[in-house]
Amino acid sequence: MSEHVADIAWERETESFAYDDYNRTHVWRFDNGLEIAAAAAPAYLGDPSCLDPEEAFVASVSSCHMLTFLAIAARKRLTVDAYEDHAVGRMEKNENGRLAITRIDLHPKIRFAEGVEVNAQALDKIHHTAHEQCFIANSVKTEIIVNT
């Protein structure tokens, strides 16, 4: 078992605490000393220069899938030189009528080292296994689609 800790801090910066007035900016602090400026998404009156929780969630799913994919490739001795993903999360009402990130589409592009040949079927199998083993994917109800 492991624990993962984040400290979140917000302080009112506006005189009014009316819904349209109060600030949404806050700080995420992690045990390695990293601090990230965060806010609500711009659609919810957040600062667009800050990271919002929805973006962080999508990035977390994509990052976990990538790290799991890389671990599987390394164990198979399939050297990867580069991995990029364009992850897109869709927020909409779920089956209970509540807003949720209901789906995340991953669009990974992998470049293997020169001389490493991986056919489409083998690549799909690695992505499938990575999805099954991804800690974050195993922790959420969101549908995750890997588009290869």
Side-chain angles (χ1 to χ4, degrees):
M1 186 185 95
S2 62
E3 287 187 340
H4 305 273
V5 178
D7 293 315
I8 310 302
W10 173 88
E11 193 168 308
R12 184 167 54 90
E13 298 171 351
T14 59
E15 188 170 320
S16 168
F17 192 65
Y19 181 82
D20 288 339
D21 296 337
Y22 72 88
N23 58 292
R24 272 72 170 170
T25 56
H26 55 284
V27 177
W28 296 354
R29 291 186 185 97
F30 301 93
D31 59 0
N32 64 358
L34 181 66
E35 288 191 6
I36 297 175
Y44 299 98
L45 306 177
D47 181 343
S49 71
C50 296
L51 181 65
D52 66 62
E54 297 85 355
E55 292 170 321
F57 178 65
V58 171
S60 180
V61 168
S62 175
S63 179
C64 187
H65 182 87
M66 177 196 70
L67 292 168
T68 307
F69 180 97
L70 295 174
I72 293 165
R75 287 188 195 112
K76 292 181 171 290
R77 301 195 189 313
L78 300 171
T79 302
V80 176
D81 280 347
Y83 184 113
E84 293 183 15
D85 188 14
H86 178 75
V88 178
R90 289 186 175 74
M91 186 155 64
E92 58 191 1
K93 289 190 176 179
N94 64 15
E95 64 277 356
N96 296 322
R98 296 180 179 235
L99 283 176
I101 304 261
T102 59
R103 176 177 167 158
I104 297 174
D105 283 280
L106 305 180
H107 299 90
K109 303 286 184 245
I110 294 94
R111 184 168 35 94
F112 289 94
E114 189 174 324
V116 175
E117 298 294 326
V118 179
N119 65 37
Q121 184 179 3
L123 184 61
D124 284 345
K125 184 173 176 157
I126 297 169
H127 277 299
H128 180 77
T129 304
H131 177 69
E132 287 182 334
Q133 294 179 7
C134 172
F135 308 145
I136 303 299
N138 287 328
S139 302
V140 300
K141 297 188 288 186
T142 302
E143 179 183 18
I144 300 167
I145 308 295
V146 181
N147 298 284
T148 56

